[in-house]
Amino acid sequence: MPAGHVRRALQRRGPARRARGDRWVDHAARPLQPAAARGFDLDRGGVGWSPGCPPGRRVGMRVGRDTLLGLLRRLPEPDVGQVTVLGVDDFALRKGHVYGSILLEMHTHRPVDVLPDREAATLADWLQAHPGVQIICRDRAGAYADGARTGAPEAIQVADRWHLWHNLCEAVQKTVIRHRTCLPEPASLATDTSPPPAPAAEPARRPETPATNRLRERYTAVHELLGKGMQRKVIAARLGLHPDTIARYADAATVDELLISKHRSSKLDPFKDYLDARWNDGCTDAAQLTKELRAQGYCGTDRTVRRYLEPLRTSGSPASHTATPPKPRQVTSWITCHPDQVSESRKLRLKAILARCPELHTLAELVTDFAKMLCNRAGDRLTAWLDTAEAADLPDLHIFTAGLRKNLAAVTNGLTLPWNSGAVEGTVCRIKAAQTRHVRPRELRPTTKTRPDTVVAVPITRSPPEPFFRVRWQLAP
């Protein structure tokens, strides 16, 4: 701000002006008086996630955010006190590079401390400095398990139920992908004398452009470096490409797979079966068909309908559209959702898929049993469920069960005790929300020399947060 603007702003204060030496001290100390008189508890959480101005206006304090945050930094840190039930989870200070750990007192859902990293030794040192922790709620990270085991060997470790269900859903999706050949409906034997459908056209290829030439060069470079034994991450750093792009090039058997234009989903896809049936009935008017589709919920244009009907007009053959098979992610959702949340049509499609694939049928039964065990907190049935899952021919699920075996005590406690990491995940979610509002965290314990816009959170909350994560199967209260 120019010096003239600052001088005019200070002159508007009128009788409040002081000598230059004590003006700033006076204006920095005076805002606490009306705050205390109105019962505004700064240590209770009046600032929250705001930079400081909204609370100041609410209590009638003529103070900027810099001054208010500076006063907050001068307050002594509250005593942690006795923590009997502790929640711990990590959050990103710089995603992919720097992570910290947030610690919560699970009775009040109030943060008690922030650790500079997520290492086991750091958590163990904190637990040794604060004895008396009886229960530790955590995810299935090995570092937190080792730190809790070292720093508080007598404490009961509780694995979070949401993470258990999330890891199971990931294993289910991998299993469905492994058996994706069972998802399409089998072609029925034709009993009529209708002519066979025309052979499918070859996939469209991209025209030769500078972009396709660059794609060929990158594909050749990636496979040359892979032939030399270099890792994909090293190749990505050397070529300046994203690791996902390197993976796509490395997984392609030939460069032609990258040049084929893939079919994109269209708003017309759910209505293609109806269009084919109406075309075979003799209705070839695109305007009339568009009108009928709009009555069924179609929100596209008539040009899309005309474009779809154009090959049928050219060939003159009856329409033969094969229903699009469900995607593995959709089937995973049908298996892991509560039956009451799945529509009847999807239940029928899922039932047909499970009838065609015995492995997926066994998987669906195991998921249902685990969900009931999770909702009813029947951790005593976990060992029997693990034996049944390991006896099934489901390699991807075996990886999940092996992880549960390594943390069997913590997982059993998570499926039995009422404690979970929901409050910790809610706090981490608020930290992420602060980051999206351009409040970049560099220090969670800022000193007086830290800029105000680097403050993420003072470890205070206004009220116990609501549970953030919702398991598809309703958890027991």
Side-chain angles (χ1 to χ4, degrees):
M1 177 182 280
H5 294 179
V6 176
R7 183 170 59 255
R8 287 192 293 272
L10 295 177
Q11 288 174 356
R12 284 195 293 269
R13 295 173 184 254
R17 286 187 295 171
R18 297 283 196 277
R20 178 174 299 181
D22 60 348
R23 177 187 301 146
W24 297 105
V25 178
D26 179 75
H27 288 295
R30 200 157 19 119
L32 281 180
Q33 299 175 0
R38 294 169 182 256
F40 187 69
D41 190 0
L42 291 175
D43 188 39
R44 182 65 179 169
V47 175
W49 297 97
S50 175
C53 287
R57 291 197 301 265
R58 186 169 65 249
V59 299
M61 294 190 302
R62 298 181 58 183
V63 59
R65 66 174 188 175
D66 297 350
T67 303
L68 188 57
L69 289 174
L71 293 173
L72 270 177
R73 296 192 192 105
R74 296 187 184 95
L75 292 175
E77 295 185 1
D79 185 16
V80 174
Q82 183 67 28
V83 180
T84 57
V85 183
L86 180 71
V88 57
D89 199 2
D90 61 337
F91 65 96
L93 290 166
R94 184 185 175 193
K95 189 173 181 180
H97 297 81
V98 183
Y99 287 84
S101 299
I102 185 76
L103 306 180
L104 261 72
E105 210 289 326
M106 299 303 293
H107 286 290
T108 60
H109 296 178
R110 289 172 61 90
V112 295
D113 207 345
V114 177
L115 305 182
D117 53 41
R118 51 180 179 179
E119 300 297 331
T122 307
L123 178 60
D125 294 342
W126 191 94
L127 292 173
Q128 293 173 358
H130 302 81
V133 178
Q134 301 176 3
I135 299 176
I136 300 177
C137 303
R138 59 172 180 84
D139 56 14
R140 295 175 58 205
Y144 290 146
D146 296 339
R149 192 180 304 109
T150 303
E154 302 298 331
I156 299 175
Q157 300 187 34
V158 179
D160 184 45
R161 292 191 292 271
W162 183 89
H163 286 91
L164 295 176
W165 184 255
H166 179 69
N167 297 145
L168 176 62
C169 293
E170 292 178 341
V172 171
Q173 184 170 358
K174 293 179 181 178
T175 305
V176 174
I177 293 175
R178 183 185 294 270
H179 298 86
R180 59 182 176 271
T181 55
C182 301
L183 304 185
E185 295 182 2
S188 59
L189 297 176
T191 58
D192 54 355
T193 59
S194 59
E202 295 184 358
R205 296 172 58 89
R206 297 182 185 179
E208 291 296 332
T209 61
T212 58
N213 297 333
R214 184 169 58 252
L215 187 146
R216 294 178 184 274
E217 295 174 359
R218 289 178 176 177
Y219 176 84
T220 304
V222 168
H223 280 268
E224 287 180 355
L225 295 177
L226 287 174
K228 296 179 181 179
M230 297 181 63
Q231 297 182 355
R232 296 186 179 185
K233 291 184 178 180
V234 179
I235 298 175
R238 183 168 182 177
L239 299 181
L241 300 175
H242 195 274
D244 294 343
T245 304
I246 299 298
R248 185 163 58 91
Y249 288 164
D251 295 338
T254 61
V255 70
D256 294 335
E257 296 183 11
L258 303 174
L259 295 175
I260 295 176
S261 299
K262 298 182 180 180
H263 171 71
R264 296 183 179 181
S265 59
S266 171
K267 296 180 180 179
L268 194 62
D269 289 343
F271 308 97
K272 288 182 177 180
D273 293 335
Y274 178 80
L275 278 178
D276 293 341
R278 293 289 290 138
W279 179 272
N280 294 333
D281 291 342
C283 182
T284 59
D285 186 2
Q288 177 62 26
L289 292 175
T290 304
K291 184 178 180 180
E292 296 177 6
L293 293 182
R294 292 190 187 280
Q296 300 181 18
Y298 174 66
C299 57
T301 62
D302 57 347
R303 183 178 181 181
T304 304
V305 178
R306 296 178 186 277
R307 190 184 303 115
Y308 176 76
L309 298 177
E310 186 64 28
L312 301 179
R313 298 184 190 277
T314 305
S315 61
S317 59
S320 57
H321 174 67
T322 305
T324 304
K327 297 180 180 180
R329 187 172 183 179
Q330 292 177 313
V331 178
T332 302
S333 177
W334 299 344
I335 294 176
T336 56
C337 280
H338 194 281
D340 296 341
Q341 299 179 3
V342 182
S343 62
E344 292 298 329
S345 60
R346 293 177 178 177
K347 286 182 181 179
L348 294 176
R349 298 184 68 182
L350 177 61
K351 184 177 180 180
I353 293 174
L354 299 183
R356 294 193 297 267
C357 185
E359 291 81 3
L360 293 183
H361 185 272
T362 304
L363 177 68
E365 292 181 346
L366 291 172
V367 170
T368 302
D369 294 340
F370 191 88
K372 293 179 180 179
M373 179 172 54
L374 185 71
C375 297
N376 300 325
R377 295 181 189 165
D380 54 335
R381 304 204 303 256
L382 177 61
T383 304
W385 185 89
L386 290 175
D387 295 339
T388 305
E390 291 172 349
D393 186 15
L394 301 171
D396 297 297
L397 191 63
H398 293 170
I399 299 176
F400 172 71
T401 57
L404 297 186
R405 292 283 189 185
K406 294 180 181 179
N407 298 274
L408 186 59
V411 173
T412 304
N413 294 330
L415 296 176
T416 307
L417 301 179
W419 300 103
N420 63 82
S421 301
V424 190
E425 297 292 348
T427 303
V428 173
C429 181
R430 287 192 293 275
I431 294 177
K432 294 179 180 178
Q435 294 176 345
T436 58
R437 290 200 296 265
H438 307 290
V439 184
R440 291 298 178 186
R442 295 179 185 173
E443 299 180 12
L444 289 179
R445 297 286 186 177
T447 60
T448 56
K449 296 182 180 180
T450 306
R451 289 173 53 87
D453 55 356
T454 63
V455 179
V456 173
V458 178
I460 47 181
T461 54
R462 281 190 280 268
S463 61
E466 295 292 334
F468 178 72
F469 293 104
R470 300 295 185 190
V471 179
R472 290 192 176 110
W473 290 71
Q474 184 64 34
L475 292 177

